[in-house]
Amino acid sequence: MIISAAAFGLIVGGLLGLVGGGGSILAVPALVYGVGLPLAAAIPTSLVVVGASSAVAVLPRLRHGVNWRLALIIGAAGTVTAYLGAAVNRLLDPKILLLAFAAIMVFAGIRMLMPSTSVGGACALPGGGVNWRSCLPKAIATGAVVGFLTGLLGVGGGFLIVPALTLILGLPMALTVGTSLVIIVINSAAGFAAHLGDLQINWAVTAAFAATAMAASLAAGRIGTGIPDRVLKRGFGILVLMVAAYVAAQALLS
C-alpha cells in the first residue's frame, strides 16, 4: 500500500503543480482503487495530501501568480460550507458519492474544453483591475459551492476552482493556477477539520503519498510557468473526463 501510495503521489502532485487542480480529483479514486483504502479513510487522507502538496506547489508562484484577495474571499466562504458537506457525507451511500463525484467531473471537464470567447471578466477586467460590485457575489458563491463539495467528497476543489476562476471570474490561466492552489490549501484544512469527529486515516500511507506529491508538485510548479494557457486547459479537461469515466464505471460495477 505504501509503495502504491508513493507512486500515485507523484501523479497527483504533478497535476497540482501544473494546473493548480486536478490532483484532488484524482487523489480519492487513486486511494480507493489504487491503494485500496475504504472511501471513509480516502477522503480525509486526500485532504491532507492535497493541502500539503498545494502549499508546496504555490511557492514558485507567490510573487506574481496569486490574486490574494480572491483566494481569501473564496477560501473563507468555503470554510463555512465545508462542515455542511461533511455532515451530508455521513448520510449518503459511498456509491452515490462516487457517482456524484463522476458527474461533477464530467461537467468541469467539458467546460474546460469549450472555447472561451470572452476576455477577462468582473474579477479581471481587460484593462486591469476588479469590478468588486459584480465580482464579490460571484466569488462568495463560488467559494460556498466548492467548500460544500470539499466536505462532501474529500477534494480540495481545484477541479472546480480552475474552471470557475477562468470561465466565471475571468482570470487568465497563469493567475488561476496560483490562486486556486491557495484556495485548495484553505479548503483542504477546513474539510479535514470537518472530518475530525469520525477520523479514519492510515498515517503511514498518508505520509508516503504526501511526500512524493509535495516533491512532484514543486517540480511541476516550476515547469508549468512556461506552458501556454490553452495547452494547460485542454490537457486538464481531457484528464478529468477520463478519470470521470473510470470512477463511474467502478461505482456502477462494484
Side-chain angles (χ1 to χ4, degrees):
M1 289 177 69
I2 292 176
I3 294 174
S4 298
F8 282 112
L10 291 173
I11 300 172
V12 169
L15 282 169
L16 280 167
L18 282 176
V19 299
S24 56
I25 206 168
L26 288 180
V28 172
L31 288 166
V32 173
Y33 302 118
V35 180
L37 294 181
L39 185 62
I43 287 177
T45 300
S46 73
L47 291 170
V48 173
V49 171
V50 170
S53 302
S54 299
V56 171
V58 79
L59 294 178
R61 305 175 186 271
L62 283 178
R63 278 192 172 184
H64 307 293
V66 178
N67 185 318
W68 289 100
R69 285 187 180 181
L70 277 181
L72 294 176
I73 290 169
I74 294 172
T79 299
V80 177
T81 54
Y83 286 87
L84 178 60
V88 175
N89 169 277
R90 300 183 184 100
L91 303 176
L92 297 179
D93 182 85
K95 181 178 290 188
I96 295 175
L97 288 173
L98 288 171
L99 288 174
F101 197 74
I104 295 169
M105 290 169 73
V106 169
F107 173 77
I110 291 174
R111 288 300 304 270
M112 290 301 287
L113 289 175
M114 292 172 62
S116 179
T117 55
S118 62
V119 178
C123 300
L125 299 174
V130 175
N131 178 2
W132 284 108
R133 180 177 294 181
S134 177
C135 173
L136 187 59
K138 292 181 180 179
I140 293 174
T142 298
V145 172
V146 171
F148 176 79
L149 292 173
T150 298
L152 179 68
L153 301 173
V155 298
F159 74 105
L160 286 177
I161 296 170
V162 172
L165 291 178
T166 55
L167 302 174
I168 299 174
L169 304 187
L171 268 64
M173 192 68 181
L175 193 58
T176 289
V177 174
T179 304
S180 71
L181 288 169
V182 175
I183 297 168
I184 291 169
V185 173
I186 298 171
N187 281 349
S188 296
F192 183 78
H195 284 276
L196 285 177
D198 56 347
L199 189 63
Q200 299 181 39
I201 195 165
N202 183 321
W203 287 108
V205 170
T206 303
F209 205 121
T212 54
M214 286 189 288
S217 66
L218 183 60
R222 297 185 184 279
I223 296 170
T225 55
I227 300 177
D229 286 6
R230 180 178 56 83
V231 175
L232 287 176
K233 285 181 68 176
R234 185 172 294 274
F236 181 84
I238 292 172
L239 179 65
V240 168
L241 289 175
M242 290 172 60
V243 177
Y246 180 78
V247 170
Q250 290 292 328
L252 291 171
L253 295 174
S254 62

